[in-house]
Every structure is written in structure tokens, then in C-alpha cells.
Amino acid sequence: MTPNREIRVWDLPVRVFHWLLVGLVIVSLITGNIGGVWEMELHLVTGSAVLALILFRAAWGLVGSSTARFSDFVRGPKAVIGYLLGLLAGRKATVLGHNPLGGWSVVAMLSSLALQAITGLFANDDVLTKGPLAKFVTKRMSDLITEVHEVNANLLYILIAFHLAAVLGYYFFKRENLVRPMITGSKSLPADTDVATPRLASPWLALVLALAAASIVWRAVTL
């Protein structure tokens, strides 16, 4: 039996980002659906925090660790189709980070979350709550942005469902646990697997980018 080796795939910044985002999105969706006074106040806070996380992830996707970079997992249609055909044919491809299909699902999820957070800054509920930047647009424009916010929320539910289905599908059909590496940071592969060890960027750089993202969002919501 070929022994396995542990390869560091996900750095700490990516893992912290991922689980913070999961928690914030859950709280944001719950509070948005309840719609009470303090719930909506918390909804605004979590939405702003999500936006800060998305800004950080966008920057980390450019200068972060190799598996965190968009250039590592955002591929063209040919790569995506080839990966899908490989899945249908039962071929097992060794991918350290996101596969070509998963890469685009990450882009879709981040884009939808960014749109949701940004529109939330200008939205209103026609009762008590309005986004911190709603005062800078007309009521008509705020209402239009609110409609986009509500429609995109439904799209977000669909993307989350697809994401969870993919995780479960990989676990039950491909016998691959995608959750464990996002907790430990490492993936177990056969020792003879021919893959290069990912380059990890400095966590101090991640901290600087995270603080910068938080400062930008804080400045925006307190205008």
C-alpha cells in the first residue's frame, strides 16, 4: 500500500476567511429573514463585515499563496469542459486547490456576496431600516437597489445549495473530504503523486490586507 503524505494546500488566511464568511453569511441570512429592529441592525453589521472579507479575498487572490490566487483556479471553458468530461468518464484528476469547475463556483459565490453586501449599503425596508449609504441616493434609486438585493439573495441561496451539493457529492461519490483540508490546511495524497508543493505567502501580508479592507469598509459605512 502506497503511503500518503500531507501537503499544505490552504494557508491560514484562506481558512480563517472561509469559516468567518460561513458564519457571517448564516447570521446575515437569518437576521435578514426575521427582520426585527435589532436583527436588522445586526444584519447591517454582518453585511459590512462580509464586504470587508470579500475585499480581502479579492486582494489575496492577487498576491496571496499560490492556491489562493485566481490565476491558479480560474480557467477557460476548455479546461472546465475537460474536467467535466473527466468526471463523467470516471477519471480521477489530482487537483491541490480548486478544480476548474469549483474555481468558477468560487468566483460566482464571491461576486454574488459582493453584490449583496454593496446593494445592502443602499437598500431600505420602507419601515425603519436603511443602509448607511442610502442617504446618498434618491428613494427611487434605493428602492431599485433593494429589489436587486432581494433578487440576488435568491441567487445566493442557489449558489450555496450547489456548493453544499458539491461538497457532499465529492464525499460520497469520489470519497474525497473537502472540509478537512479547509480546517487543517493539508490534503493527504499518495507519496508518489507528482505535484508541486504550493508556495505560501506571508500571514503578515494577509493581516495588513485584512486591516486595510476593514478600514475601507468602515470608512464607507460611516460617511
Side-chain angles (χ1 to χ4, degrees):
M1 182 176 180
T2 304
N4 287 355
R5 60 169 172 153
E6 294 288 321
I7 297 180
R8 180 68 65 178
V9 176
W10 303 119
D11 57 32
L12 182 62
V14 165
R15 287 178 283 143
V16 172
F17 159 82
H18 179 273
W19 295 113
L20 278 178
L21 188 64
V22 169
L24 288 170
V25 168
I26 290 174
V27 174
S28 190
L29 291 176
I30 291 175
T31 53
N33 282 303
I34 293 176
V37 176
W38 74 265
E39 288 89 350
M40 290 307 297
E41 291 180 357
L42 180 57
H43 184 74
L44 291 174
V45 171
T46 55
S48 299
V50 166
L51 182 56
L53 283 178
I54 297 301
L55 286 178
F56 161 76
R57 185 64 183 88
W60 199 241
L62 298 175
V63 301
S65 303
S66 57
T67 50
R69 296 194 179 197
F70 298 121
S71 59
D72 180 74
F73 58 82
V74 178
R75 294 284 184 260
K78 183 177 180 180
V80 175
I81 294 173
Y83 180 77
L84 286 174
L85 292 176
L87 284 180
L88 294 175
R91 294 193 299 268
K92 186 174 182 179
T94 300
V95 180
L96 283 182
H98 297 297
N99 60 61
L101 182 60
W104 279 108
S105 71
V106 170
V107 172
M109 182 77 74
L110 293 179
S111 299
S112 181
L113 286 171
L115 178 61
Q116 195 69 3
I118 292 172
T119 54
L121 297 177
F122 298 90
N124 73 88
D125 65 359
D126 277 328
V127 184
L128 295 173
T129 306
K130 62 181 181 179
L133 301 185
K135 58 189 175 184
F136 294 110
V137 298
T138 64
K139 179 62 167 59
R140 183 177 179 181
M141 178 59 70
S142 179
D143 289 341
L144 177 61
I145 295 175
T146 301
E147 291 182 15
V148 175
H149 189 73
E150 293 172 352
V151 170
N152 186 64
N154 294 323
L155 173 61
L156 195 54
Y157 282 121
I158 295 173
L159 291 174
I160 291 173
F162 272 117
H163 181 72
L164 294 176
V167 171
L168 292 175
Y170 264 76
Y171 183 78
F172 288 108
F173 296 107
K174 296 192 67 177
R175 302 304 182 192
E176 185 174 345
N177 190 336
L178 299 181
V179 177
R180 177 181 172 274
M182 195 55 71
I183 295 175
T184 65
S186 299
K187 180 179 288 189
S188 181
L189 295 174
D192 58 356
T193 303
D194 184 20
V195 292
T197 302
R199 182 195 61 79
L200 300 181
S202 170
W204 295 109
L205 174 60
L207 179 60
V208 171
L209 293 175
L211 291 175
S215 298
I216 292 173
V217 173
W218 174 259
R219 177 57 180 165
V221 300
T222 55
L223 285 175

